[in-house]
Every structure is written in structure tokens, then in C-alpha cells.
Amino acid sequence: MLDALASVMQAVYDEVEAFEKPTVAAVNGYALGGGCELAMACDIRIASENARFGQPEVALAILPGAGGTQRLARLIGKGRALEMIMTGRLMDAQEALSAGLVSKVVPQEDLMEAVGETVEQLLAKGPLAVRLAKLAVQAGYETDQRTGLLIERLAQAVLFTSEDKREGTSAFLEKREPEFGGR
């Protein structure tokens, strides 16, 4: 039963990670086990000062089964991930920031405003460029650097022929805000 649940959760979190649009996690309070794994599946993680992260499954004689062993190691490094997973130790927001698990820590009352500002920044950019940047980083990270650079070059070639690139360049030269169409 638990194995089936972990398999379903892993599939759902894989979908979150692979979603073509950027995802932003707002972490307020405890993000343990599956909650931490869901946050790690998102592209950007912003935490309130009272956030705590952990993979305490070993206390139940299981391990993080929804992608936690893989995503945590890729985000904070193998050694830190092993220590957290094998001991079940929690990480506070400031340590999560230092380790690279989150990109920003804000006071609890400012969390949703900070997330909103990040979302606005994403929405102001060329949607095709954001989508292909996400794809290039994710696909390139899973392979060797030479292949990653090829993926980057191909994504850039697509963008250089886009209407959004022409609009972005025109808006820059005309000193106005661009009106991207995602094409």
C-alpha cells in the first residue's frame, strides 16, 4: 500500500517538475516528507523564516520515496542530503537558504507578497524564453556538459526566430515594456 502511494506521489511530483511553466513553492512552517518532496519538485522555493525542511521517514523505517533521495542530493549535495535523510534531522529556513534548498527567506507575514513578486517577475519575461530556459537547465543537468550546451544552443536558435525575440528587442530599443505573445 505504501509502495503504491509513494509511486503515485513520485509520478505526481515528476509532473510538477516537468510542467512546462515555472512553479513556485511558498513554504510556511513544516515541509517534511512528502511536503518537502513537493517543494523540491518546484522550480523556485521561497520560505518564511519559520519554515523547517526535512525527510524524517527513517524514523518510520522507510525512506523518502517520492523523489526525496534524488532531488535533495541534487539541490544541496550528496553529503548534506545523506546526513539529513539518514538522521532525519530538520533544516531551518536560514540553513536551507545557505544550502541552496530555497532561493529566498522572508518574514512570515511577507511570504505571499514575495511569492507574488517572483511570479510577476516571471510573467514579465518572454514566456517561450522562460519555458525553454527551464527545459535547457533541466535536460542539461541530467547529462554531460557538452550535451547540455547543445541543448542550450538549440533552444537559443528557436528563440532567435521567435516573435517574442523581435518584440523584446524592439521594446528594448524603443524604451518601452514588451508585449510578449508566447510565439
Side-chain angles (χ1 to χ4, degrees), residues 85-155:
I85 291 168
M86 293 191 306
T87 67
R89 184 180 70 79
L90 303 187
M91 182 181 281
D92 68 24
Q94 287 303 320
E95 185 181 358
L97 178 65
S98 295
L101 184 55
V102 300
S103 56
K104 187 183 296 186
V105 174
V106 298
Q108 183 178 6
E109 60 274 8
D110 297 337
L111 179 61
M112 295 316 293
E113 181 180 337
V115 169
E117 288 172 1
T118 299
V119 169
E120 288 299 320
Q121 290 171 353
L122 291 166
L123 291 172
K125 305 302 184 255
L128 186 58
V130 170
R131 185 177 306 150
L132 288 177
K134 177 177 175 170
L135 184 142
V137 169
Q138 287 179 330
Y141 193 79
E142 298 298 323
T143 188
D144 62 279
Q145 184 171 326
R146 177 171 290 186
T147 304
L149 290 169
L150 176 62
I151 293 166
E152 178 183 275
R153 195 166 51 244
L154 292 171

Side-chain angles (χ1 to χ4, degrees), residues 28-182:
N28 186 26
Y30 289 90
L32 306 178
C36 185
E37 289 170 307
L38 176 58
M40 289 188 294
C42 293
D43 300 314
I44 299 170
R45 288 161 300 285
I46 301 174
S48 69
E49 293 171 328
N50 70 331
R52 301 289 179 272
F53 299 85
Q55 299 290 179
E57 289 88 345
V58 294
L60 303 173
I62 59 174
L63 58 80
T69 62
Q70 300 306 299
R71 289 188 179 99
L72 188 61
R74 283 169 170 78
L75 288 168
I76 69 170
K78 178 181 166 186
R80 280 184 174 155
L82 281 168
E83 186 260 340
M84 280 186 70
I85 291 168
M86 293 191 306
T87 67
R89 184 180 70 79
L90 303 187
M91 182 181 281
D92 68 24
Q94 287 303 320
E95 185 181 358
L97 178 65
S98 295
L101 184 55
V102 300
S103 56
K104 187 183 296 186
V105 174
V106 298
Q108 183 178 6
E109 60 274 8
D110 297 337
L111 179 61
M112 295 316 293
E113 181 180 337
V115 169
E117 288 172 1
T118 299
V119 169
E120 288 299 320
Q121 290 171 353
L122 291 166
L123 291 172
K125 305 302 184 255
L128 186 58
V130 170
R131 185 177 306 150
L132 288 177
K134 177 177 175 170
L135 184 142
V137 169
Q138 287 179 330
Y141 193 79
E142 298 298 323
T143 188
D144 62 279
Q145 184 171 326
R146 177 171 290 186
T147 304
L149 290 169
L150 176 62
I151 293 166
E152 178 183 275
R153 195 166 51 244
L154 292 171
Q156 186 72 304
V158 169
L159 292 171
F160 263 82
T161 64
S162 71
E163 291 178 27
D164 278 356
K165 187 264 184 194
R166 286 188 290 279
E167 169 59 17
T169 303
S170 295
F172 175 77
L173 294 173
E174 297 167 11
K175 297 181 181 4
R176 62 175 173 81
E177 293 296 316
E179 294 180 25
F180 296 116

